[in-house]
């Protein structure tokens, strides 16, 4: 088994981001928020998830060897 390329690690970051946003939306909707409160809370959770995704991208840049070496 080879190591992950930067593109593969980036896709993992995106997949995690999508899952986090779906979970946040489900939690906010379960709280019964409406109108401006709903919009504000959803936008805030999306921003937090996106911040974590960009941090994930930066970590992926440092970790990848672009598949050159076997994975441990």
């Amino acid at each position: 088994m080879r190591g992950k390329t930067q593109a593969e690690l980036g896709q993992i970051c995106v997949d995690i981001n999508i899952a986090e946003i779906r979970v946040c939306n489900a939690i906010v909707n379960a709280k019964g928020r409406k109108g401006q409160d709903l919009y504000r809370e959803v936008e805030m959770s999306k921003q937090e998830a996106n911040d974590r995704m960009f941090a994930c991208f930066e970590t992926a840049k440092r970790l990848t060897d672009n598949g050159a070496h076997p994975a441990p």
Side-chain angles (χ1 to χ4, degrees):
M1 184 173 178
R2 64 175 179 73
K4 299 281 188 198
T5 64
Q6 188 170 342
E8 290 169 327
L9 291 173
Q11 186 58 50
I12 291 169
C13 296
V14 170
D15 293 344
I16 290 170
N17 177 264
I18 291 168
E20 283 185 349
I21 289 173
R22 286 181 180 156
V23 168
C24 289
N25 286 340
I27 290 170
V28 171
N29 287 332
K31 289 180 180 178
R33 301 268 195 236
K34 295 197 182 337
Q36 199 65 15
D37 288 338
L38 172 68
Y39 176 77
R40 188 175 21 252
E41 195 162 348
V42 167
E43 287 303 308
M44 186 174 63
S45 64
K46 282 182 184 177
Q47 184 60 46
E48 289 171 358
N50 287 336
D51 290 345
R52 284 190 294 275
M53 180 180 65
F54 290 119
C56 182
F57 287 151
E58 290 302 314
T59 302
K61 284 181 194 175
R62 291 193 304 267
L63 291 179
T64 188
D65 63 2
N66 289 315
H69 299 88

